[in-house]
Amino acid sequence: MKSLFKTDEWQIIEEGFHPDINREAESVFAIGNGYMGQRANMEEKYSGDSLQGSYLAGIYYPDKTKVGWWKVGYPEYFAKVPNAPNWTGIGVQIDNTEIDLAKLRVENFRRVLNMKEGYLSREFTVLPGKGKRVHVQTFRFLSMAEPDLGIIRYKVSPLNFNATISFTPFINSDVRNEDTNFGEKFWKDVHSHSEDGFAFITARTLRTNFVATFAFTFELRKNGKRISPASEPLSRKSYVANRIQVSLKEGDELEIIKYVNVLSSLYLPADQHVAETRKRLGHAAGRGFGRLFSSHVKEWTRIWGTSDVEIEGDPAAQQGIRFNIFHLNQTYTGKDERLNIGPKGFTGEKYGGSTYWDTEAFVLPFFLKTAPMKVSRNLLLYRYKHLGKSIENARKLGFRGGAALYPMVTMNGEECHNEWEITFEEIHRNGAIAFAIFNYIRHTGDFGYMKSYGLEVLIALSRFWSQRVSFSENLGKFVILGVTGPNEYENNVNNNWYTNTIAAWTLSYTIENIGILRKKDPSSLSRIFSKTGFREGKEIRRWKEIIELMHFPRDEKRKIFLQQDGFLDKELKPASSIPAGQRPINQHWSWDRILRSCYIKQADVLQGIYFFEDRFDTDTIKRNFDFYEPITVHESSLSACIHSILAARTGNIGKAYELYLRTARLDLDDYNREVADGLHITSMAGTWLAIVEGFAGMRISGENIILKPLIPVKWKSYTFRARFRDNLFKVKVTRKWFEIGNQSSTLLKFLYNGSRYEVPGRSEVRVNLQ
């Protein structure tokens, strides 16, 4: 796909019509607004290969689990975000020929995703008959200002003949998920209606009983002037529409603006949907396309004002980072604590749209540094509200006494992932949630979260680790057996270093915060102890013993941490020795062969070093990086960013840049050949971190920011915005100096090269690089 999209700093541009990569383009050009999202499916009919995709945040379906035989503790279902009714459709006929780009000749096709203003447009010429040429322009956005609104503007002009044009805006609820396990439909129609100028369908999800209403109205313009021809209401099963016919002369232009309102029972009772959607559509049409779009652009301007990264001298890197920032912000806005971020966001069905540990480990740090505190706090509240379910999940696996195992995959707190080596063994996800609480508090200073919610979660997580370890008489150490670490190319291993490390750290962090709360607010601590039934003396004594005696695999000869006890029994060969035709190995090798190989899917030991970097000196980090990175195949989207950050930490700017470019353009260049299934939304946050924590070396130390800037050879400068506590600041790095501008009113402190600097409110400090 690399050659198909032009390099542009604010736009993704496809020139020429490429049906062979239509699914990939549908993912890349997808739009969303946190409330709903839409793949870049054509408005007009398209009978070629396509993955129809319309998604509503927070609505899910419990698809049946596919297992060969049942295992104790297996989840009963696999939650999936259902493909929702298609609201984008506009049937278009030129005289008696239906526009279908899979069947008609198409010329001068151009598709643009404008990331600065958040819209998708297309322009092309289609040939519907002998010598006839028709120019088409489309424009679509999902409002960031009024998230239940989607607006489409569609223009048609016969260039060299007179024609009768027929527009048929419609809603179609006859949709399916391609990834359904047993071919079931997820929606059932409740009510539908079509009348002149208005139509709607109300549908209900099976089993979960979410209700959504999709409704539209429209306006028509001929050569820029409003016209009001009569429309023909159409209605049949799972389909409502209006058909309008208008006669045009050669060179005339007919424009339809379709206003769509989508209401969900997650926010409004179903019995109010029809009346409310009429009201909202009337308001939208009254404001008109221009004002609605202006409000939408204003929101994007605000978002870019706190999250943009500017790169001077490298257009491909610039396009890549903005593409990732754009999709992160249109996937999640942080307005609703019931919502989270699926690995594919609103761009595809893969992974079911559910929540993974990706959120806490990768996405939360992005929003911590770019968005108001409430956004990241809501991500943590999402997990707190699932604590009861997580305790139930642990109980199903035999854990007791309030121990919690957060799910690997979830919508409502219940585990809904059914691959045993992940569901039962990838328990390091518990540690990611504990680390997210730590990360949130050190960035925001919001200790109120700890006493109201965080400590309760930490106690439940620590109880899990306390029961999950076992004592090895042979080693005289506590061990954690039968796990899968972040490297999913190893299953059922003993003493994964990362898992053991984050388990012991969680116990220590919990004890630390019990002590802090005892000093700061003993009444809150008593309340938490009472609520959780905490037996302080017995439980803390056990935790301290585990911390002291935890086993951490190590190779003394190489002076590195071992990924797991038996890792050195593998035949060690660099990933570069794998023939190019066998990459990615997960698409060419048997699972048996992968498990026996030394090859690592993503950062594992290095993930732990990234989290706890302050424990290790540069030489230790470098030794581990130099051992593990050459045998890492980076076949997880979460991999390259962590390696890039650590490469920068050790001063290897060339390697850091190589891996940054891979993560920044992972989807634009389809590195792993899977963009047709959707984008890698959660890993996109790692792209931003690779610049801010990697090249700029930003860290948090108490009340201070630490900066240690580096700059790739190809770049002239780079600039980013970030937040710390109450401060929004801007950093620009050049080859000779860096500048930090405090855009807030309170004093900002930072450290560089052992020296302390202070930046008063609304001022800048420039420092020469040493």
Side-chain angles (χ1 to χ4, degrees):
M1 291 180 67
K2 183 176 273 189
S3 62
L4 295 179
F5 301 126
K6 286 186 65 176
T7 300
D8 183 280
E9 294 186 349
W10 276 110
Q11 299 179 111
I12 310 300
I13 302 170
E14 179 187 13
E15 292 187 333
F17 188 50
H18 305 101
D20 56 317
I21 56 109
N22 184 57
R23 287 196 182 216
E24 289 85 347
E26 287 174 341
S27 299
V28 168
F29 289 93
I31 57 173
N33 61 10
Y35 177 87
M36 58 181 169
Q38 175 66 49
R39 283 174 63 85
N41 307 121
M42 316 271 188
E43 286 89 0
E44 67 281 339
K45 181 178 179 180
Y46 183 71
S47 59
D49 184 47
S50 172
L51 175 62
Q52 167 63 38
S54 172
Y55 310 103
L56 298 181
I59 291 181
Y60 66 94
Y61 177 82
D63 198 12
K64 292 177 182 176
T65 294
K66 265 189 174 181
V67 291
W69 56 282
W70 204 256
K71 300 177 180 70
V72 173
Y74 247 28
E76 296 180 2
Y77 65 89
F78 193 105
K80 292 175 179 175
V81 173
N83 181 18
N86 174 14
W87 59 270
T88 62
I90 302 176
V92 183
Q93 281 193 322
I94 311 296
D95 294 328
N96 295 317
T97 301
E98 183 173 34
I99 290 188
D100 180 346
L101 299 194
K103 294 182 177 179
L104 300 179
R105 183 177 172 184
V106 181
E107 296 177 346
N108 304 317
F109 184 91
R110 179 181 170 90
R111 177 160 34 190
V112 176
L113 180 67
N114 184 302
M115 299 178 289
K116 189 172 186 177
E117 297 185 337
Y119 67 82
L120 171 64
S121 66
R122 291 181 303 141
E123 185 172 5
F124 57 89
T125 300
V126 64
L127 282 64
K130 296 179 180 179
K132 295 180 178 179
R133 302 173 65 82
V134 178
H135 186 240
V136 177
Q137 293 176 283
T138 75
F139 191 105
R140 176 196 302 180
F141 68 97
L142 283 170
S143 175
M144 293 293 284
E146 298 178 59
D148 50 65
L149 288 179
I151 296 94
I152 298 171
R153 185 177 66 193
Y154 198 104
K155 297 180 179 181
V156 170
S157 177
L159 298 177
N160 59 353
F161 67 105
N162 300 335
T164 298
I165 307 295
S166 173
F167 281 147
T168 308
F170 67 85
I171 293 169
N172 180 10
S173 62
D174 185 18
V175 292
R176 294 179 181 270
N177 278 52
E178 283 195 355
D179 69 345
T180 173
N181 283 336
F182 292 91
E184 295 179 323
K185 289 189 68 175
F186 295 166
W187 293 92
K188 181 179 180 180
D189 289 357
V190 174
H191 185 38
S192 62
H193 174 73
S194 182
E195 63 187 57
D196 184 6
F198 175 77
F200 74 87
I201 290 180
T202 298
R204 183 189 305 273
T205 58
L206 301 174
R207 299 175 69 183
T208 44
N209 294 316
F210 291 105
V211 178
T213 297
F214 290 72
F216 74 83
T217 189
F218 59 90
E219 64 180 73
L220 286 166
R221 295 181 183 274
K222 182 177 178 180
N223 298 327
K225 294 182 179 180
R226 181 80 178 262
I227 59 173
S228 301
S231 65
E232 176 189 1
L234 303 173
S235 182
R236 59 178 185 264
K237 184 180 179 181
S238 303
Y239 177 92
V240 292
N242 274 206
R243 179 182 294 145
I244 314 102
Q245 286 191 339
V246 177
S247 295
L248 298 184
K249 293 181 180 178
E250 177 182 327
D252 283 349
E253 180 181 78
L254 182 64
E255 171 187 339
I256 183 171
I257 300 174
K258 182 180 181 182
Y259 301 96
V260 180
N261 183 239
V262 181
L263 298 180
S264 157
S265 58
L266 205 63
Y267 298 97
L268 189 72
D271 59 2
Q272 299 178 30
H273 281 193
V274 175
E276 185 65 21
T277 200
R278 283 184 182 273
K279 176 182 173 182
R280 296 190 188 190
L281 283 173
H283 175 71
R287 291 186 64 196
F289 178 91
R291 282 192 287 177
L292 290 172
F293 183 62
S294 293
S295 297
H296 168 73
V297 171
K298 185 178 180 180
E299 275 298 294
W300 271 113
T301 300
R302 180 189 63 78
I303 291 167
W304 285 115
T306 63
S307 62
D308 189 23
V309 172
E310 300 162 54
I311 298 172
E312 186 183 7
D314 192 345
Q318 177 68 87
Q319 183 184 45
I321 184 62
R322 283 189 172 138
F323 179 72
N324 291 310
I325 294 170
F326 173 75
H327 275 287
L328 282 162
N329 280 298
Q330 69 170 3
T331 300
Y332 183 76
T333 61
K335 296 176 181 177
D336 188 341
E337 64 198 34
R338 296 172 298 177
L339 302 181
N340 209 280
I341 304 147
K344 296 294 183 186
F346 296 124
T347 69
E349 298 175 4
K350 192 174 181 182
Y351 302 122
S354 302
T355 300
Y356 287 63
W357 72 289
D358 306 18
T359 293
E360 285 74 30
F362 297 89
V363 184
L364 180 78
F366 168 79
F367 285 114
L368 273 174
K369 292 180 175 72
T370 64
M373 185 176 76
K374 180 182 177 181
V375 174
S376 48
R377 199 175 207 262
N378 277 347
L379 285 172
L380 292 181
L381 284 174
Y382 174 90
R383 292 296 195 180
Y384 175 77
K385 292 193 170 185
H386 289 174
L387 179 58
K389 290 285 188 183
S390 298
I391 291 172
E392 287 182 24
N393 294 336
R395 190 180 300 127
K396 291 175 183 177
L397 302 183
F399 297 89
R400 296 291 181 264
L405 176 59
Y406 274 87
M408 186 65 187
V409 177
T410 194
M411 284 291 187
N412 65 353
E414 292 179 285
E415 178 64 76
C416 59
H417 190 285
N418 59 12
E419 296 175 11
W420 68 270
E421 68 273 19
I422 305 298
T423 307
F424 301 152
E425 296 196 341
E426 201 162 332
I427 54 176
H428 66 82
R429 60 196 189 247
N430 259 10
I433 291 168
F435 189 84
I437 295 171
F438 160 74
N439 211 8
Y440 169 78
I441 291 174
R442 71 170 171 172
H443 275 81
T444 66
D446 180 18
F447 195 76
Y449 180 86
M450 180 63 74
K451 71 179 185 180
S452 297
Y453 310 105
L455 185 56
E456 193 178 337
V457 173
L458 290 173
I459 287 172
L461 296 175
S462 294
R463 284 169 163 170
F464 171 83
W465 291 122
S466 178
Q467 296 176 45
R468 185 60 173 79
V469 301
S470 53
F471 188 76
S472 166
E473 294 289 348
N474 179 51
L475 293 173
K477 297 282 188 179
F478 283 99
V479 295
I480 304 180
L481 308 177
V483 299
T484 297
N487 172 31
E488 293 172 341
Y489 288 175
E490 283 192 321
N491 300 150
N492 200 34
V493 300
N494 295 333
N495 295 308
N496 171 256
W497 182 86
Y498 171 73
T499 302
N500 288 21
T501 297
I502 208 159
W505 174 86
T506 300
L507 295 171
S508 179
Y509 184 59
T510 306
I511 293 170
E512 176 188 336
N513 280 281
I514 288 172
I516 293 172
L517 200 55
R518 178 174 283 111
K519 292 179 181 178
K520 284 189 172 183
D521 193 342
S523 62
S524 289
L525 185 64
S526 295
R527 173 185 56 80
I528 294 167
F529 281 179
S530 176
K531 183 177 181 180
T532 60
F534 190 66
R535 298 167 294 170
E536 183 177 5
K538 182 178 180 181
E539 295 196 60
I540 288 183
R541 188 163 51 250
R542 164 77 171 175
W543 296 353
K544 287 182 175 179
E545 185 182 17
I546 294 168
I547 295 166
E548 182 181 355
L549 295 176
M550 181 68 84
H551 171 53
F552 302 104
R554 182 179 173 85
D555 175 23
E556 295 298 341
K557 180 181 177 181
R558 295 177 176 84
K559 295 183 179 180
I560 61 169
F561 308 119
L562 283 184
Q563 190 165 279
Q564 46 93 0
D565 280 344
F567 192 78
L568 291 181
D569 294 333
K570 295 172 179 269
E571 186 178 4
L572 300 178
K573 292 182 177 181
S576 59
S577 68
I578 304 171
Q582 296 179 25
R583 301 282 296 270
I585 61 173
N586 61 23
Q587 296 178 21
H588 294 88
W589 287 13
S590 70
W591 195 239
D592 168 73
R593 185 180 180 185
I594 290 173
L595 293 176
R596 288 185 287 108
S597 79
C598 68
Y599 299 122
I600 300 171
K601 183 181 180 185
Q602 67 187 79
D604 194 306
V605 167
L606 298 182
Q607 182 76 41
I609 289 176
Y610 163 69
F611 274 168
F612 305 114
E613 179 191 306
D614 57 347
R615 294 183 174 187
F616 314 111
D617 59 31
T618 300
D619 287 343
T620 299
I621 297 172
K622 187 176 187 305
R623 282 195 303 272
N624 282 274
F625 184 91
D626 290 347
F627 179 78
Y628 285 109
E629 198 283 328
I631 55 176
T632 302
V633 290
H634 298 297
E635 289 174 10
S636 164
S637 64
L638 303 172
S639 184
C641 60
I642 299 300
H643 288 81
S644 178
I645 292 168
L646 292 181
R649 170 67 175 78
T650 62
N652 188 346
I653 192 67
K655 191 67 175 179
Y657 176 76
E658 171 197 325
L659 292 164
Y660 161 77
L661 204 61
R662 179 186 179 100
T663 186
R665 299 191 62 86
L666 177 73
D667 291 320
L668 285 177
D669 297 340
D670 201 8
Y671 272 90
N672 290 340
R673 304 174 198 171
E674 55 188 12
V675 167
D677 296 326
L679 306 179
H680 297 86
I681 301 299
T682 51
S683 76
M684 288 176 168
T687 307
W688 193 90
L689 295 173
I691 291 178
V692 174
E693 295 184 355
F695 300 140
M698 179 179 166
R699 303 291 187 273
I700 303 301
S701 176
E703 298 295 315
N704 297 291
I705 299 163
I706 299 175
L707 292 172
K708 190 180 179 182
L710 301 171
I711 185 167
V713 173
K714 196 172 183 179
W715 297 2
K716 295 179 181 178
S717 72
Y718 62 96
T719 305
F720 66 89
R721 288 90 175 149
R723 294 176 184 268
F724 175 63
R725 305 293 166 90
D726 295 325
N727 294 91
L728 174 66
F729 60 94
K730 180 178 178 179
V731 176
K732 181 172 183 177
V733 180
T734 70
R735 300 212 159 276
K736 295 182 178 180
W737 50 262
F738 73 92
E739 185 175 80
I740 183 165
N742 186 352
Q743 298 183 333
S744 301
S745 58
T746 55
L747 183 70
L748 180 69
K749 302 174 184 178
F750 73 94
L751 303 173
Y752 169 67
N753 205 27
S755 298
R756 184 183 304 274
Y757 299 83
E758 293 186 349
V759 190
R762 313 295 177 189
S763 64
E764 299 174 345
V765 169
R766 179 173 292 187
V767 180
N768 291 328
L769 289 172
Q770 299 176 14

